[in-house]
Amino acid sequence: MEILLFIALMLATAKLLGYLFEKAGQPVVLGQIIGGLLIGIFFETNPVIREFSNLGVLLLLFLAGLESDMEEFRRVGRPSIVVAGIGVAVAFLMGFLVAYPFVEIHEAVLYGAIMTPTSVSITVKVLMEMRKLNTREGTTILAAAVVDDVLGILILTIALSIVRGGNVEYTAITEILLEVSGFLLVFLYFGPKLAEITFRRISRIDLPEATTAFALVFLMLFAYLAEHLNLASILGAYLTGLALGQSHQKKQIFDHVNVIGYSLFIPLFFVEVGMRIELDYIIHAGLFAVLYTIAAIVSKIIGCGFGASISGFDRKASLRIGIGMIPRLGVELAMLAVAMASGSIGADALTVAILMVFTTTLITPPLLKWLYTGIA
């Protein structure tokens, strides 16, 4: 099929099925992935589409960084850090232990990393409907999710770097931690000031969309730099967005990049994710996929719930926080795409991760509603 017609088919499918799923009260991204699965029955992806998809991953993480509040990120309270930290640790450990009997050790490490982040968009929607978003529990979930995603990206970065090196060595881990720390130091403490100064001058350039264009330049530049340092490109994309999100041009950059991302590249990414799913893997990895999904659910309930409990929340509130941290969506798929692109994990991992994403996303809304109305 001609590449332009192929892209047109993918984009139309992404929007139409996304719309249908939204009308049915389900996440748009699930409709896009299913659309890709249907297209994948008849057509295969290709290198050009894959590059579009990779750019969609970077834009997704860049926009996530732009949406994050740096001051809130720095001031995030102890309960949120404890909830996120214990939740990530338990999820990584359970993901690794469940995967280890089925795959090689380096793949088990990556499966552990992919299980760590939380995507709370579904939780937020439910809490808003019940007018519980601005409660202490809702605020804790939102703040913990920010820390959760950053920790997840860092863990994947470290895991990928170790895997690429071929050996698990403490010296390599130390080097990676120093590189990540240096990256964080530059972006969190110097990045906002440099971004403000730089983009104040760029805004004076009398050319159409100069600010947006240079935002994309910096996104790609630092994503490349992160990859060149054997870190994950998505870390560079996220931190670039986090730094630029503190400048006065934040709204302009976000609005324009949001249009670019969600009108083309990000939907293509999720459709291409669906196209990579091979139904045969469901049969071969059936038991593993089910166990991995169960571990993904239980790990957040136990880890985040325990973190909330020792931070002063009662049993009901701790359980609500644990349930609210269950969903997995965009960040996990972005992490998986990076791991697959590096050749560190096989295509069968996609089906396992998709089952986890589908299940965790679908069960969270009814569980939360039951927790608030049934035992509250």
Side-chain angles (χ1 to χ4, degrees):
M1 180 182 287
E2 294 291 338
I3 190 66
L4 293 180
L5 292 178
F6 200 4
I7 292 175
L9 173 63
M10 292 175 66
L11 192 57
T13 300
K15 293 303 179 182
L16 290 174
L17 284 188
Y19 171 77
L20 292 176
F21 266 66
E22 185 179 39
K23 284 295 183 182
Q26 300 300 323
V28 171
V29 64
L30 296 184
Q32 294 173 342
I33 293 171
I34 289 178
L37 178 61
L38 296 175
I39 294 175
I41 295 174
F42 305 99
F43 306 103
E44 293 184 356
T45 186
N46 60 62
V48 175
I49 296 299
R50 194 165 290 120
E51 289 303 318
F52 273 78
S53 176
N54 290 337
L55 187 52
V57 174
L58 296 180
L59 288 172
L60 181 68
L61 271 295
F62 178 70
L63 288 169
L66 280 172
E67 284 190 291
S68 300
D69 186 336
M70 180 77 80
E71 291 304 315
E72 186 65 29
F73 185 81
R74 288 171 176 163
R75 293 195 307 262
V76 65
R78 177 181 171 274
S80 300
I81 295 175
V82 173
V83 167
I86 297 179
V88 164
V90 173
F92 176 81
L93 182 61
M94 290 189 68
F96 174 81
L97 292 176
V98 167
Y100 186 62
F102 295 91
V103 299
E104 298 293 330
I105 187 170
H106 73 278
E107 287 193 44
V109 170
L110 291 173
Y111 273 112
I114 291 167
M115 192 182 283
T116 56
T118 293
S119 183
V120 294
S121 57
I122 304 301
T123 299
V124 168
K125 182 178 179 182
V126 175
L127 293 178
M128 287 179 68
E129 290 175 355
M130 297 186 296
R131 298 184 180 179
K132 301 290 185 180
L133 184 61
N134 293 323
T135 62
R136 186 176 175 226
E137 297 156 21
T139 303
T140 300
I141 290 172
L142 288 174
V146 174
V147 180
D148 200 291
D149 283 352
V150 173
L151 288 176
I153 293 171
L154 291 178
I155 288 173
L156 178 70
T157 300
I158 294 170
L160 281 176
S161 301
I162 292 172
V163 169
R164 287 169 183 166
N167 296 308
V168 181
E169 299 178 356
Y170 290 109
T171 54
I173 295 175
T174 303
E175 289 177 6
I176 295 162
L177 289 174
L178 288 174
E179 288 176 347
V180 172
S181 299
F183 230 64
L184 285 173
L185 179 65
V186 170
F187 276 95
L188 295 181
Y189 290 96
F190 302 108
K193 292 181 180 178
L194 291 174
E196 180 64 35
I197 294 171
T198 302
F199 277 85
R200 187 174 293 169
R201 295 181 178 178
I202 289 175
S203 64
R204 298 171 187 168
I205 298 177
D206 190 18
L207 287 174
E209 300 297 341
T211 299
T212 305
F214 275 98
L216 295 174
V217 167
F218 283 112
L219 159 63
M220 296 175 195
L221 177 64
F222 287 109
Y224 169 80
L225 179 61
E227 198 167 64
H228 186 69
L229 292 172
N230 289 321
L231 306 174
S233 58
I234 54 175
L235 178 62
Y238 180 84
L239 292 178
T240 302
L242 191 62
L244 296 185
Q246 314 315 307
S247 69
H248 284 92
Q249 285 75 33
K250 171 184 176 177
K251 187 178 186 306
Q252 178 185 350
I253 294 172
F254 180 84
D255 289 344
H256 293 193
V257 174
N258 193 60
V259 171
I260 294 170
Y262 282 97
S263 62
L264 179 60
F265 296 101
I266 296 174
L268 288 183
F269 161 63
F270 286 116
V271 171
E272 208 253 345
V273 164
M275 289 176 63
R276 291 195 209 177
I277 299 175
E278 296 189 28
L279 296 178
D280 289 343
Y281 286 132
I282 296 177
I283 299 173
H284 298 309
L287 177 61
F288 175 33
V290 171
L291 292 177
Y292 189 76
T293 300
I294 293 172
I297 296 168
V298 173
S299 64
K300 288 296 182 180
I301 295 176
I302 293 177
C304 297
F306 178 70
S309 179
I310 64 175
S311 297
F313 289 91
D314 61 27
R315 182 183 61 83
K316 293 177 183 177
S318 298
L319 185 57
R320 289 168 183 162
I321 290 172
I323 295 292
M325 296 289 284
I326 286 176
R328 317 300 211 279
L329 273 175
V331 176
E332 295 75 11
L333 295 176
M335 292 171 68
L336 178 61
V338 172
M340 289 178 63
S342 71
S344 304
I345 202 165
D348 53 338
L350 189 57
T351 302
V352 176
I354 292 300
L355 179 62
M356 176 188 73
V357 167
F358 268 59
T359 306
T360 58
T361 299
L362 292 176
I363 69 167
T364 301
L367 281 178
L368 271 180
K369 290 179 180 178
W370 176 74
L371 283 172
Y372 274 100
T373 60
I375 64 174

